[in-house]
Amino acid sequence: MSKTVTDNTLQAIISHAKEYGFVFPSSEIYDGLSAVYDYGPYGAQLKKNIRDDWWKSMTQMNENIVGIDAAIFMHPTTWKASGHVDSFSDPLIDNKDSKKRYRVDHLIEAHADKLMEEAAKDNDGGATLRDRAKQLIADMEVLLANDDFAGLGTLIQTNKIQCSVSGTSNWTEIRQFNLMFSTELGSVAEDANTIYLRPETAQGIFVNFLNVQKTARMKIPFGIAQTGKAFRNEIVARQFIFRMREFEQMEMQFFVKPGTQKEWYEHWKNERMNWHLSLGIAANKYRFHDHIKLAHYADAALDIEYEFPFGFKEVEGIHSRTDYDLTRHQEFSKKKLQYFDTEINQHYVPYVIETSIGLDRMFLLILSNSYEEETIQKEDGTTDSRVVLHLPTKLAPLKLAVLPLTKKDGLPELAKALMDECKPSFHCFYEEKDAIGKRYRRQDAIGTPFCVTIDHQTKEDNTVTIRYRDSMQQERIPMSEVKALILKHIA
Ligand code: GAP
């Protein structure tokens, strides 16, 4: 049997995720809510498994990292201190004819993509078009880094960038739009305070720096990890769960002695890439993207990018944030956030290396990397096809499907005994309906790595057929070895 593989497409992944209970549009019966999604039975479990693996890699595998779970709502001054009230915004532009609103960088990037597409079709002028596209992106990056909105406006006009709806270049001025969602705390209007839904989990770590350091008796260098929801009023909803308005982050702030930040930055850059590779994802699907223009508080920053079906995009950020955050919280709270280093007998505000990854984005990465449409050439010359998710075994929502060949002759009883043995150790699924081939295909589609079939021979010699998802190979093994074999693969 040989296999050929057809191309992944984001659309196929979105449909598959919905059909098989991974991701649904939020409140779909009311036509959904833009850039908000719900996770179904298999999606919720896959997401939990990714989160658990990250949590383990941080808080269990590193003796000097502890976890916290801070509230989503924080004192409003937090966001003044962090800089989010003043500068957590995107530049936007509206087309006066269609009234469609664009994020400036998305509008320019889409134009550059169009130039690249034209270049691919044009044998003579291709190189010129490609150069123009590259120059456009380079100019945009410089102007964005300098908050030069007039320059960005000119760039859009001189490149004759048009609205995809009206087809015109009749643009408004560029304006800044704050991405934080706000709400009121308190029921009496006069007393109500505006508070924000956190746009990142990191600030919950910074404001708890001393609480954690003292209660967990941490010595620098040490880290604080947290996973949880974050909210951003993204103007342009794009690419499924890649850019959402409500999403989850997995962040770790690593507190170090000033002057040692460069070596810790390198350390976490490598550690984080190793985590990605530990999931069995090919190294050539990843790349580092160093930030050229740094935020005023950072002395180094990079993105870990993955090749999604729509190109290389950021999945995780590594930032060397100096002592900016703790110093700002000291200023605004008037409370000291310093560490006493007994080795040098000195107080100082620690420097911070941050690793920040979007859980939903990582989920999309895992789905994109796993999704495959296969055409199978059978030995008798006929072909068959299947859609399979090659999920890493430790992340798969279900590890084992137990399938009695028939509903009678005592086979379901044997199958249920195997279920009872394995259930406490990992997620199992029992099914006796439909032909065995059809049951295998359903498990392939949700990424279950192992199926075990109980047949009449099982009654005689206590052996079962185990079938491997990726190779579709089958072998006969004693039923008593199933649990240990699967546990070995999960580990
Ligand atoms: N504390 C640093 C911070 O929040 P960020 O680059 O804004 O940095 C970190 O976000 C990660 O969070 C990103 O690399 C991405 O994976 C994820 N993320 C950010 N905005 C997102 C959104 N709107 N939807 C889904 N994930 C998002």
Side-chain angles (χ1 to χ4, degrees), residues 200 232 234 242 244 247 249 251 314-315 354 356 358:
E200 62 171 17
R232 296 182 189 181
E234 299 283 0
F242 183 82
M244 303 162 88
F247 59 100
Q249 287 187 316
E251 298 199 296
E314 170 189 349
V315 63
E354 168 184 74
S356 175

Side-chain angles (χ1 to χ4, degrees), residues 84 88 199-203 206 232 234 241-251 253 291 297 303-304 314-317 319 321 354-362:
H84 284 82
F88 190 56
E200 62 171 17
T201 60
Q203 300 304 323
F206 290 126
R232 296 182 189 181
E234 299 283 0
I241 54 174
F242 183 82
R243 192 175 305 285
M244 303 162 88
R245 296 201 166 106
E246 174 181 339
F247 59 100
E248 199 166 329
Q249 287 187 316
M250 306 190 287
E251 298 199 296
Q253 313 293 325
H291 290 200
Y297 53 79
D303 298 333
I304 296 179
E314 170 189 349
V315 63
E316 173 157 9
H319 312 123
R321 300 180 68 113
E354 168 184 74
T355 74
S356 175
I357 177 168
L359 175 52
D360 311 83
R361 215 170 266 190
M362 189 63 204

Side-chain angles (χ1 to χ4, degrees), residues 404-422:
L405 199 59
T406 66
K407 290 183 198 167
K408 46 187 197 319
D409 303 333
L411 302 188
E413 286 75 9
L414 283 171
K416 290 211 165 118
L418 181 61
M419 285 287 291
D420 288 343
E421 186 195 344
C422 294

Side-chain angles (χ1 to χ4, degrees), residues 114-130 132:
K114 226 165 77 190
L115 292 177
M116 290 301 253
E117 276 166 31
E118 284 168 24
K121 289 185 218 142
D122 184 345
N123 288 337
D124 304 327
T128 321
L129 286 170
R130 253 190 299 279
R132 261 178 61 198

Side-chain angles (χ1 to χ4, degrees), residues 368-381:
S368 311
N369 201 68
S370 307
Y371 181 89
E372 196 167 56
E373 292 169 14
E374 283 182 3
T375 304
I376 304 155
Q377 295 290 342
K378 296 206 287 198
E379 273 150 17
D380 63 6

